[in-house]
């Protein structure tokens, strides 16, 4: 029961008078088997404080503060707890509202599976040709020339 891992706890409980007879006997047997711990048990026992009952404060009733005339008050410690709870609640609501519908969140349109079409292994390319007529060369170009459509080569394993 008592060993080198927990003997200090048992010594403190012995000094406080918290051990029953079986635990006290086990502690005393352990100290007898380890005589180097006898001084430590003596030191724990010497730390027990005994109140001095001869000292009496004459005006003991003046130590208590009178209750307020207006009724119930909220103590400073209680006020801080309410303020902290309100701040946590406000913070949580703010975070939850910001995390609502964003442009990055996925949207489910339908639950039907998508159909796939076979992908060709060779990308199709259309040559880009510059067909300018005399009429086009005289006119100021306001827009860029169209570019051939971009194709991607998809490899499906």
């Amino acid at each position: 029961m008592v060993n080198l891992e927990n003997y200090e706890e048992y010594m403190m409980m012995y000094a406080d008078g918290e051990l029953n007879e079986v635990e006290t006997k086990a502690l005393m047997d352990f100290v007898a088997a380890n005589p180097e711990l006898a001084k430590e048990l003596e030191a724990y026992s010497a730390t027990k404080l005994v109140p001095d009952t001869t000292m009496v404060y004459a005006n003991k009733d003046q130590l208590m503060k009178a209750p307020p005339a207006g009724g119930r008050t909220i103590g400073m410690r209680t006020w801080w707890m309410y303020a902290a709870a309100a701040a946590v609640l406000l913070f949580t609501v703010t975070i939850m509202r910001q995390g609502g519908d964003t442009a990055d969140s996925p949207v489910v349109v339908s639950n039907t599976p998508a159909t796939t079409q076979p992908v060709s292994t060779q990308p199709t390319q259309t040559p880009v040709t510059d067909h300018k007529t005399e009429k086009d060369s005289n006119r100021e170009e306001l827009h860029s020339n169209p570019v051939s459509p971009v194709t991607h080569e998809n490899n499906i394993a």
Side-chain angles (χ1 to χ4, degrees):
M1 190 175 344
V2 181
N3 56 37
L4 289 173
E5 299 288 325
N6 63 2
Y7 75 91
E8 292 174 330
E9 182 179 352
Y10 276 92
M11 286 183 179
M12 284 189 285
M13 290 179 6
Y14 173 77
D16 291 337
E18 297 176 4
L19 295 180
N20 60 29
E21 291 179 21
V22 175
E23 292 171 330
T24 302
K25 181 170 178 3
L27 178 63
M28 293 305 159
D29 291 342
F30 180 76
V31 172
N34 299 291
E36 67 274 3
L37 299 176
K39 288 197 179 232
E40 193 170 343
L41 180 60
E42 189 178 317
Y44 277 112
S45 297
T47 58
K48 188 172 185 178
L49 298 176
V50 180
D52 185 7
T53 56
T54 60
M55 292 181 62
V56 177
Y57 184 68
N59 299 321
K60 190 185 222 181
D61 56 334
Q62 293 178 354
L63 292 175
M64 295 297 290
K65 189 175 186 181
R72 183 176 170 215
T73 61
I74 296 176
M76 193 62 157
R77 190 173 290 172
T78 307
W79 181 83
W80 282 105
M81 288 190 296
Y82 288 130
V88 167
L89 182 64
L90 180 66
F91 179 74
T92 304
V93 168
T94 303
I95 293 298
M96 290 182 75
R97 283 192 169 202
Q98 287 180 353
D101 295 320
T102 62
D104 296 338
S105 63
V107 177
V108 176
V109 176
S110 75
N111 291 330
T112 59
T115 58
T116 58
Q117 297 180 358
V119 178
S120 67
T121 58
Q122 295 293 329
T124 57
Q125 295 182 351
T126 4
V128 177
T129 56
D130 192 16
H131 298 290
K132 285 191 178 180
T133 61
E134 186 177 317
K135 184 179 178 184
D136 290 337
S137 62
N138 293 337
R139 184 171 56 151
E140 182 181 331
E141 292 187 27
L142 299 175
H143 302 286
S144 62
N145 291 333
V147 179
S148 65
V150 177
T151 59
H152 297 280
E153 182 177 332
N154 294 331
N155 295 328
I156 299 176

